[in-house]
Amino acid sequence: MEALFMLKKYKYQLIILVFTNILFTAIGAQDIQQIAKQKPIQLTGNFNARIINYFASGINARRQPFSWFVGGNATLKLYGIDIPFSVSLSEQNRSFSQPFNQFGLSPSYKWITVHAGYRNLSFSPYTLDGYTMLGIGVELKPKKFNFSIMHGRLNRATTLDTTLGTLQPFSFSRKGTAIKMGVGNDRNYISLSAIKAMDDSSSVNFSQTLKQSVRAAANTAASVAIRKELFKTVFFEGDAAVSIYTNDIGSNLPLSDSTGWIKKVANIIVINGTSQFNTAYRAAAGYIGKKFSLKAEYKNISPDYKSMGVYYFNTDIESITINPSFNIKNKVIFNGSIGTQKDNTRKQKEATTKRLILMSNIILNFSNKFGIDINVTNYSANSTPVVVQVQKKYLLTQNNNNLSISPRYVISNANGNHVIVASFNRASLSDKNDQTSTVNDIITNVWLLNYSRNIYKKAMGYTISINKTTNTFSAGTFNNIGATVSVNKNWLKNKLQTIASVNFTNSKSATDNSNYITAQLEANVSLLKPGKLNFRYSLLSNSPQGTTTAQKFIENTFELGYSYSF
């Protein structure tokens, strides 16, 4: 009652707040110059309602016997500014939530863009890259020059959950400033970016014991990116970054080496014995031709490289990759990649894991009707002890192989088409460590044969497919064999669409042998031009064979729905 009284008392303030949040959320990066050219008011959206009836025999019901859903989406356009609304209601959800808890706007005029509120900007993969920031910023892009700056809050201080009395997760308020400047275009450029951020240790008012779980941190990261293109076919590109991350700004632990440049940097950056200095860099060169392309890339990212403006890094890697591709008159199309990757870049781990990655995609077009697609992937990894003797069973030595071959035959004319597709896929994990191979080896084979036919004059089509899957690993061999038939037909000048399908699958293992049948019947009727009535019936049947302990059951589901678009 108290909550209802508060809603009534402040209903007009709430309406204004929600509308303002919606407006700010919708503005996005609206170009001010284009507003006057837009239509004043437009309303688009859709409404849908659905009721579902379900019953099962042989097992406990896995959903409610009767359920319903009503929902809709609408977008109000005011001079080109989108203001979205949505509503949903069902028998399982009668709660109301105000979803507009984050809002922001980025209006632009010519080469000036202003950011305010919650924004996700990307300056560099190593400094600020898509991290949500609440603040204010500006981007200036006159001709070939660009300058950007964003200042605001990166993390909000944790508040105590009064219902549980816990903090999950514990965090301080974190604020920072990111900047970027550069010159050039997409083909030739040089760009500099940096971010400086710090936690506010006074932003939470809890006991020192609780604060010990997370220490206030600080970070400064900077990067440079460059690209140069020659003769429109040859290019060189690269980027490099450095990050100084202090895990505890309140620590009195001194650095072991505080001479030289460290003393100079310490005047503007928080540095102590908990600080980490890490680097990341990448260099690439390539050739892009009409029939042939080649790219080579080297990447190195230090262990624990972090930036407060990036959510996640894949660190402690050194990789070399070569990517060739060629096209011979669209008869032979090849895309490939070969590379090596290893960790333990600073020799701090007991073992180094090395990986060899091979990937290729080949398209063979023998004619307009017949072709074959081939995909081959090989991924191998092995660990080598570096510092101490490691037991062999803890060393990783594996090969992952995948082979896919898909021939296709297509006949198409004015009356319809025939499409025949066959496919074989083999995936294997081979453990080369003789102490663990009997447990880890896995082989999966999948065979598929599919035929589909479309008849344009009769507005109908059908598909027939058969498949087999075999999985072999330490627990035994599992086999699935199945077949599917589906038919679709349009009636009454396409106002009524019907679809029927049935699938049979036999699943067999050492302890189980079951037959599964799934069937579906669907009809869509266009009542009014934007409205559609939908009916769907689904059946799932499981029939165990032999002495298996599996349970026999049947599930039936009926659905009736209506949708309307405007």
Side-chain angles (χ1 to χ4, degrees), residues 386-397:
V386 176
V387 182
V388 298
Q389 185 65 34
V390 181
Q391 292 187 46
K392 187 176 181 180
K393 65 180 179 179
Y394 297 120
L395 297 177
L396 177 67
T397 306

Side-chain angles (χ1 to χ4, degrees), residues 29-36 107-110:
Q30 179 69 27
D31 190 344
I32 296 175
Q33 297 180 92
Q34 301 299 321
I35 290 180
S108 63
Y109 179 77
K110 294 185 178 180

Side-chain angles (χ1 to χ4, degrees), residues 258-270:
S258 58
T259 61
W261 66 273
I262 295 180
K263 289 185 176 180
K264 297 179 181 179
V265 174
N267 294 326
I268 57 175
I269 300 175
V270 178

Side-chain angles (χ1 to χ4, degrees), residues 69 108 218 270 286 305 331 381 426-427 500 542 560:
F69 171 84
S108 63
V270 178
Y305 182 96
K331 296 292 185 180
R426 180 182 176 88
N542 176 35
L560 181 63

Side-chain angles (χ1 to χ4, degrees), residues 232-245:
K232 296 183 179 180
T233 56
V234 179
F235 68 89
F236 303 90
E237 63 182 24
D239 41 44
V242 58
S243 173
I244 299 177
Y245 200 102

Side-chain angles (χ1 to χ4, degrees), residues 45-69:
N46 63 79
F47 164 83
N48 59 86
R50 185 171 296 275
I51 56 175
I52 303 172
N53 182 238
Y54 164 87
F55 60 92
S57 60
I59 60 170
N60 295 327
R62 295 191 282 187
R63 63 181 301 170
Q64 295 294 326
F66 179 79
S67 57
W68 56 270
F69 171 84

Side-chain angles (χ1 to χ4, degrees), residues 491-510:
W491 314 79
L492 304 175
K493 296 182 179 180
N494 296 327
K495 291 184 178 180
L496 171 63
Q497 299 96 36
T498 57
I499 303 171
S501 65
V502 60
N503 171 267
F504 170 82
T505 300
N506 173 258
S507 180
K508 184 183 294 185
S509 67

